C-alpha cells in the first residue's frame, strides 16, 4: 500500500497532473485556441532547442555532472553554419561537420573533467565563454540569412498531414533513443551508478571516465544539432544565437525531477518538464501576460521542483521514524541491557 | 585539498612527536602554495599590463590605471560575497539579479524622494540584497536543497520581479541626486570612491575569513560538510549567513552600480553571475569548497577586467575577448589542479618517509 502511494506521489505524476491542469485552464481561458493545432505547432517550435538539449543533459546530470556550455555550442554551430555557407560549402557537408565540431566541443569538456579530474561546473563555465568566444571569432557580429528555402522550411512548416513541427519529430525520435539508452541499457545503468556513487561504480567494474566522456560528447553533438535547428528556424546564423539558453535547459531538466546530485531521474519526467515549461510559456503569452511574469514562474517552478521532494523526503523520514520508533527503542534498551550484563560478568577486578 | 589535511592529521595521530614537526612542514608547504597562487595572479597581472604598456605607454598613465581598478571594482565586490559562499561548497548564481533588483529599486527611491540623504538610500540597496540573500540562504540551509538549483531559480525570480516592478521604465541620471552621482564618479586622494569602498569590503571579508572562528568554520564546512556537522559546527546557520552576506554585498554593488552609471533599467547586471564565478575561480577559490581567499578572488576579478581592457588597447578584435577569457579560466583551473596533484604526491612522500623513520 505504502509503495503504491509512493508510486502515485512521484514527481513525474505531479508533472503530468500539472500539465493536464495547464491544458484545461489554457483551453478554457483561450476558448480552445490553446489546444488548437496551429497553436500546438508554435508551442512545439518554441521549445524545440530546449527540448533537444534537455535529453542528453538529463544523462549528464543523472551522472552527477553538469554542462553549462550547451548554449555556447549551439551558438558556435550556428556561427559555423553561417561561415561555411558564406565560404561556399554545400549544406550537405556543413551539417555533419557542425555536428562533429559539437561532439569535439563535448569531448574537450569530457576530457578536462575525466582526465584532469576537474569539476564540470568550473570547466563548462570556462568552455561556455570559450565556445561563445570562438563563435564570435568565426562570424563576428554579422548575420547570415540567405539559406535555401528547402532547408528553412523545416522550421516554418509542419510535417505534412500533421501539426507536428519537424524539430519536434526529431525530438520525439531522440527522446525514444535516449529513453532506451538511459532506462533499458547497461550504459544507462552505468550512468545511474556513476551518479549515485562514483567510487562504488568504479569498484563494480563500471568504466566511470569512459561513461562520462561519452555523455559529454553526446551532449555536444546534440547541442550542435539544436544549433542547426535554431539557425534554420529563424533562418539566421548568428554567433549570439541561444545566449542564456543553458539556464533554461538546466531548469527544464531539474523541473523534470532529475536530482542535481545524480543517480536519480527519468527521461519521461524530463519530457513532461519540458512540455510543462513550454505550455506555461505559451499559455502566458496567449493570455497576454508579460514575459517577466513568465521568468518569475520559471524560477518558482524550479524552486518548487527541489523543495517538494526535499520536504517529502523529510516527512517520509519522520513517518518511517515514528513507525520504527518502538523497534529502535527496544533495540536500544536491549543493547543497554546487554552491556550491563557484559560489565557485570566481567565484574570488578 | 580536504583529503590532504585529513590524511596528514591521521598520520599525526598514528605516530608520535616527530610527525608534529612533519605536519608543520606540510602545512608550511600548503601555505606557501596558497601564497604562490595569489602571487601567480599578480605576476600574470603585471605581465599583461607590461606587455600592453609596451604597445601603448598611455596604458600605465594614472588615469588609465584608475579606470582599470574602477571597472573591476563591482565584479571584485561581488567576488568577495561569492567567495564566502563558494568556500562552503555552495554557489550563488543569483548575484546578477540581486544587483539589478537592488540597483533599480534604490534608483527609483532616490528619484521619487529627491530629498533623501545618501546613506539611508545606499543602505536600502544593501537591505534589499540582504533580504534576497537571506531567502537564498533560508531555502538552501533549511530545505537542504542544492544551492545551484535554488540560486538558479531565484536568478529568474529576482530578475522577473525586477522587470515586473520596472515595467519598462528606466531611471536616468537627471533623476538622481548629485551627491550620489559624485559618489560614483568622485575620488579621494586620487583613488576612485568605488575602489575605496571595494577595498574596505575586501579587507573586512579577508579579516572575517582569516581571523574569526565562524569564518574559519566556513572552510571546514566546505572541506567536509559531514565532518563539520560532527565537529559541532552549526552548518545550516553558517551557510545561511554566507548567502545573506553575499546578497547584502550584491545589494551594495547594485547601489554603487547605480551611483556609477546613473542610468538604471531592469536589465542592469544581467549575466554578471558567470563573470563573478569566473573571477572567483581564476582567483584560486576552489569551486568544490574549502579553499581560497577573498583577496585572490578580487585579484581574479581585476585580472579578468584588465585583460578585457588590454585587448581593446592592443586593438585585438573585441570578438576574441570572450574566447580568451574562457581559455584563461580553463588554464587557471588546470594549473591549480596540476599543482594540487603535485602537492598531494609530495605530502604522501613526506609522510611515507616519516613513517619509515618511525619504524627505524
Amino acid at each position: 500500500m505504502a509503495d503504491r502511494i509512493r508510486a502515485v506521489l512521484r514527481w513525474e505524476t505531479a508533472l503530468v497532473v500539472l500539465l493536464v491542469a495547464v491544458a484545461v485552464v489554457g483551453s478554457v481561458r483561450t476558448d480552445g485556441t490553446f489546444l488548437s493545432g496551429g497553436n500546438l505547432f508554435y508551442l512545439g517550435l518554441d521549445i524545440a532547442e530546449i527540448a533537444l538539449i534537455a535529453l542528453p543533459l538529463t544523462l549528464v546530470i543523472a551522472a552527477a555532472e553538469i554542462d553549462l556550455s550547451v548554449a555556447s555550442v549551439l551558438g558556435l554551430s550556428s556561427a559555423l553554419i553561417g561561415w561555411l555557407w558564406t565560404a561556399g560549402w554545400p549544406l550537405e557537408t556543413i551539417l555533419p561537420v557542425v555536428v562533429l565540431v559539437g561532439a569535439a566541443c563535448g569531448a574537450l569538456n569530457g576530457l578536462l573533467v575525466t582526465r584532469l579530474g576537474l569539476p564540470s561546473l568550473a570547466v563548462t563555465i570556462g568552455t561556455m565563454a570559450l565556445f561563445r568566444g570562438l563563435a564570435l571569432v568565426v562570424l563576428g557580429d554579422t548575420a547570415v540569412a540567405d539559406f535555401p528555402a528547402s532547408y528553412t522550411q523545416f522550421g516554418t512548416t509542419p510535417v505534412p498531414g500533421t501539426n507536428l513541427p519537424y524539430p519536434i519529430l526529431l525530438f520525439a525520435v531522440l527522446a525514444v533513443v535516449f529513453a532506451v539508452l538511459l532506462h533499458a541499457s547497461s550504459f544507462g545503468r552505468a550512468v545511474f551508478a556513476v551518479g549515485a556513487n562514483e567510487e562504488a561504480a568504479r569498484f563494480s567494474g563500471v568504466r566511470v571516465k569512459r561513461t562520462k566522456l561519452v555523455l559529454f560528447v553526446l551532449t555536444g553533438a546534440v547541442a550542435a544539432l539544436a544549433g542547426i535547428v535554431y539557425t534554420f528556424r529563424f533562418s539566421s546564423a548568428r554567433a549570439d544565437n541561444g545566449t542564456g539558453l543553458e539556464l533554461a535547459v538546466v531548469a527544464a531538466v531539474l523541473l523534470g525531477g532529475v536530482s542535481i546530485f545524480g543517480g536519480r531521474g527519468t527521461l519521461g519526467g524530463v519530457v513532461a518538464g519540458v512540455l510543462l515549461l513550454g505550455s506555461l510559456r505559451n499559455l502566458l503569452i496567449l493570455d497576454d501576460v508579460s514575459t517577466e511574469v513568465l521568468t518569475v514562474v520559471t524560477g518558482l517552478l524550479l524552486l518548487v521542483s527541489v523543495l517538494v521532494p526535499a520536504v517529502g523526503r523529510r516527512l517520509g523520514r519522520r513517518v518511517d521514524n515514528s513507525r520504527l520508533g518502538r523497534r529502535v527503542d527496544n533495540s536500544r534498551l536491549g543493547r543497554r541491557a546487554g552491556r550491563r550484563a557484559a560489565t557485570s560478568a566481567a565484574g570488578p577486578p | 585539498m580536504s583529503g590532504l589535511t585529513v590524511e596528514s592529521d591521521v598520520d599525526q595521530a598514528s605516530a608520535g612527536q616527530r610527525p608534529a614537526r612533519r605536519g608543520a612542514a606540510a602545512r608550511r608547504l600548503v601555505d606557501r602554495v596558497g601564497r604562490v597562487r595569489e602571487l601567480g595572479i599578480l605576476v600574470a597581472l603585471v605581465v599583461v599590463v607590461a606587455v600592453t604598456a609596451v604597445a601603448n605607454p598611455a596604458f600605465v598613465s594614472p588615469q588609465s590605471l584608475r579606470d582599470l581598478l574602477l571597472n573591476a571594482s563591482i565584479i571584485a565586490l561581488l567576488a568577495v560575497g561569492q567567495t564566502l559562499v563558494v568556500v562552503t561548497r555552495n554557489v550563488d548564481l543569483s548575484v546578477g539579479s540581486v544587483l539589478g533588483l537592488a540597483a533599480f529599486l534604490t534608483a527609483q527611491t532616490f528619484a521619487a524622494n529627491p530629498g533623501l540623504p545618501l546613506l539611508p538610500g545606499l543602505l536600502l540597496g544593501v537591505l534589499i540584497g540582504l533580504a534576497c540573500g537571506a531567502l537564498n540562504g533560508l531555502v538552501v540551509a533549511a530545505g537542504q536543497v542544492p544551492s545551484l538549483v535554488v540560486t538558479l531559480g531565484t536568478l529568474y525570480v529576482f530578475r522577473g520581479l525586477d522587470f515586473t516592478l520596472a515595467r519598462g521604465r528606466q531611471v536616468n541620471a537627471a533623476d538622481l541626486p548629485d551627491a550620489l552621482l559624485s559618489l560614483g564618479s568622485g575620488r579621494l586622494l586620487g583613488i576612485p570612491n568605488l575602489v575605496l569602498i571595494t577595498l574596505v569590503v575586501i579587507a573586512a571579508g579577508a579579516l572575517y575569513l582569516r581571523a574569526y572562528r565562524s569564518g574559519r568554520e566556513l572552510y571546514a564546512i566546505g572541506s567536509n560538510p559531514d565532518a563539520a556537522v560532527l565537529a559541532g559546527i552549526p552548518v545550516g546557520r553558517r551557510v545561511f549567513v554566507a548567502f545573506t552576506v553575499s546578497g547584502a554585498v550584491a545589494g551594495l554593488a547594485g547601489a554603487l552600480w547605480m551611483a556609477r552609471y546613473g542610468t538604471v533599467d531592469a536589465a542592469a547586471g544581467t549575466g554578471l553571475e558567470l563573470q563573478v564565478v569566473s573571477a572567483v575561480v581564476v582567483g584560486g577559490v576552489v569551486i568544490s569548497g574549502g579553499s581560497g581567499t577573498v583577496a585572490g578572488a578580487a585579484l581574479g576579478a581585476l585580472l579578468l577586467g584588465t585583460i578585457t581592457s588590454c585587448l581593446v588597447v592592443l586593438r585585438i578584435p573585441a570578438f576574441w575577448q570572450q574566447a580568451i577569457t574562457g581559455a584563461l579560466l580553463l588554464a587557471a583551473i588546470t594549473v591549480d589542479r596540476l599543482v594540487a596533484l603535485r602537492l598531494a604526491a609530495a605530502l604522501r612522500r613526506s609522510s611515507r618517509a616519516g613513517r619509515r623513520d618511525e619504524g627505524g
Side-chain angles (χ1 to χ4, degrees):
Chain A
M1 186 62 195
D3 283 350
R4 202 173 301 163
I5 291 176
R6 211 160 284 167
V8 173
L9 282 179
R10 289 175 69 109
W11 179 247
E12 285 83 353
T13 325
L15 281 178
V16 172
V17 171
L18 271 175
L19 201 55
V20 172
V22 167
V24 170
V25 171
S27 45
V28 169
R29 281 190 73 91
T30 61
D31 292 330
T33 316
F34 181 70
L35 286 180
S36 71
N39 186 51
L40 288 182
F41 172 73
Y42 284 110
L43 194 164
L45 261 192
D46 201 33
I47 52 166
E49 294 86 18
I50 295 179
L52 281 171
I53 302 175
L55 296 174
L57 199 65
T58 300
L59 273 65
V60 169
I61 295 181
E65 297 289 346
I66 193 145
D67 188 347
L68 292 180
S69 71
V70 284
S72 296
V73 175
L74 185 155
L76 179 57
S77 93
S78 187
L80 273 180
I81 296 172
W83 185 53
L84 295 175
W85 175 247
T86 315
W89 287 36
L91 279 173
E92 298 78 57
T93 326
I94 293 177
L95 300 189
V97 166
V98 161
V99 173
L100 279 181
V101 170
C105 290
L108 177 64
N109 283 331
L111 287 174
L112 286 170
V113 169
T114 57
R115 295 299 139 186
L116 286 173
L118 295 170
S120 53
L121 181 65
V123 167
T124 57
I125 286 180
T127 52
M128 181 171 109
L130 179 66
F131 298 152
R132 181 69 70 186
L134 290 178
L136 282 166
V137 169
V138 165
L139 202 60
D141 53 5
T142 55
V144 177
D146 55 341
F147 298 109
S150 55
Y151 279 88
T152 53
Q153 62 154 357
F154 288 112
T156 49
T157 55
V159 178
T162 64
N163 284 311
L164 218 56
Y166 281 99
I168 290 300
L169 188 66
L170 178 66
F171 167 69
V173 172
L174 282 181
V176 172
V177 170
F178 276 101
V180 170
L181 190 64
L182 183 61
H183 296 298
S185 77
S186 58
F187 181 78
R189 275 191 295 282
V191 168
F192 280 125
V194 170
N197 188 333
E198 189 174 324
E199 218 156 308
R202 188 176 301 126
F203 285 128
S204 324
V206 173
R207 302 191 62 175
V208 175
K209 289 181 179 175
R210 163 90 66 88
T211 307
K212 285 186 181 175
L213 182 61
V214 169
L215 291 182
F216 279 106
V217 170
L218 277 177
T219 307
V222 174
L225 211 56
I228 296 174
V229 169
Y230 197 106
T231 308
F232 289 143
R233 185 152 82 84
F234 293 102
S235 184
S236 166
R238 291 178 56 94
D240 62 354
N241 273 352
T243 302
L245 208 67
E246 61 278 338
L247 297 184
V249 181
V250 172
V253 172
L254 297 176
L255 186 61
V258 180
S259 162
I260 190 86
F261 297 124
R264 242 173 325 124
T266 61
L267 206 82
V270 171
V271 172
V274 167
L275 289 180
L276 181 63
L277 215 57
S279 320
L280 268 179
R281 184 194 281 278
N282 181 276
L283 178 61
L284 291 175
I285 290 171
L286 282 183
D287 231 6
D288 263 343
V289 173
S290 57
T291 44
E292 290 82 63
V293 175
L294 198 74
T295 324
V296 176
V297 170
T298 308
L300 286 179
L301 270 178
L302 196 56
L303 284 179
V304 167
S305 78
V306 287
L307 273 177
V308 167
V311 171
R313 261 202 312 279
R314 204 171 276 187
L315 286 181
R317 215 177 295 146
R318 194 164 297 162
V319 171
D320 286 348
N321 283 348
S322 67
R323 207 180 323 146
L324 287 175
R326 184 174 290 255
R327 219 183 306 159
V328 169
D329 279 351
N330 285 344
S331 68
R332 206 177 285 152
L333 281 179
R335 219 174 343 179
R336 217 172 284 152
R339 212 179 300 139
R340 218 174 293 131
T343 35
S344 65
Chain B
M1 293 302 269
S2 58
L4 299 180
T5 17
V6 169
E7 211 169 286
S8 62
D9 284 352
V10 169
D11 286 343
Q12 280 178 43
S14 63
Q17 215 170 15
R18 194 199 303 263
R21 212 183 321 133
R22 194 171 4 100
R27 218 166 298 134
R28 263 204 305 282
L29 188 60
V30 173
D31 221 36
R32 202 179 318 140
V33 169
R35 227 167 288 145
V36 164
R37 188 64 182 69
E38 275 143 40
L39 208 65
I41 310 171
L42 265 180
V43 170
L45 204 55
V46 169
V47 168
V48 168
V49 172
V51 168
T52 317
V54 168
N56 184 351
F59 190 68
V60 284
S61 70
Q63 183 55 44
S64 160
L65 291 179
R66 259 200 298 269
D67 283 345
L68 279 185
L69 291 173
L70 188 58
N71 288 336
S73 61
I74 297 244
I75 300 280
L77 207 54
L78 292 172
V80 173
Q82 189 72 254
T83 304
L84 259 61
V85 173
V86 172
V87 153
T88 65
R89 201 182 279 187
N90 281 297
V91 69
D92 185 354
L93 292 181
S94 72
V95 285
S97 300
V98 174
L99 181 146
L101 188 63
F104 185 78
L105 288 183
T106 321
Q108 208 181 25
T109 312
F110 270 118
N113 309 289
L116 188 69
L118 209 53
L119 208 58
L122 294 181
L123 211 59
L124 176 71
V126 176
L127 284 179
I128 292 167
L130 189 115
C132 293
L135 180 70
N136 282 332
L138 194 69
V139 176
V140 170
Q144 296 189 339
V145 284
S147 56
L148 181 73
V149 188
V150 172
T151 56
L152 183 59
T154 53
L155 179 154
Y156 284 120
V157 173
F158 296 151
R159 181 64 68 188
L161 207 60
D162 193 5
F163 271 105
T164 314
L165 293 172
R167 270 176 276 132
R169 286 170 301 167
Q170 69 171 33
V171 179
N172 296 315
D175 307 328
L176 297 174
D178 292 335
L180 183 69
L181 297 173
S182 61
L183 172 78
S185 56
R187 39 185 205 242
L188 189 69
L189 303 173
I191 305 171
N193 292 334
L194 292 198
V195 175
L196 286 175
I197 296 174
T198 305
L199 285 176
V200 169
V201 174
I202 293 172
L207 184 70
Y208 174 68
L209 278 185
R210 203 174 170 81
Y212 281 79
R213 183 191 166 129
S214 53
R216 304 305 305 167
E217 285 175 351
L218 295 185
Y219 287 102
I221 293 168
S223 293
N224 191 334
D226 296 336
V229 172
L230 293 177
I233 296 173
V235 173
R237 205 184 315 156
R238 295 282 177 270
V239 170
F240 172 77
V241 169
F243 273 99
T244 309
V245 171
S246 172
V249 171
L252 175 65
L256 295 179
W257 172 289
M258 166 195 64
R260 165 139 199 242
Y261 295 105
T263 311
V264 182
D265 61 6
T270 304
L272 227 51
E273 55 279 343
L274 295 174
Q275 277 185 54
V276 173
V277 174
S278 300
V280 165
V281 171
V282 166
V285 180
V286 178
I287 197 88
S288 48
S291 171
T293 64
V294 166
L299 280 175
L302 184 58
L303 179 61
L304 288 184
T306 305
I307 287 177
T308 309
S309 306
C310 290
L311 293 178
V312 176
V313 172
L314 293 176
R315 295 224 179 74
I316 293 172
F319 304 129
W320 280 93
Q321 229 171 69
Q322 211 167 11
I324 290 177
T325 305
L328 189 82
L329 178 60
L330 291 175
I333 56 176
T334 305
V335 169
D336 270 355
R337 177 70 186 165
L338 294 178
V339 169
L341 288 177
R342 280 297 247 322
L343 196 64
L347 284 174
R348 215 171 297 132
R349 253 197 316 279
S350 80
S351 76
R352 211 175 293 141
R355 216 169 290 147
R356 256 202 305 282
D357 290 354
E358 213 49 40

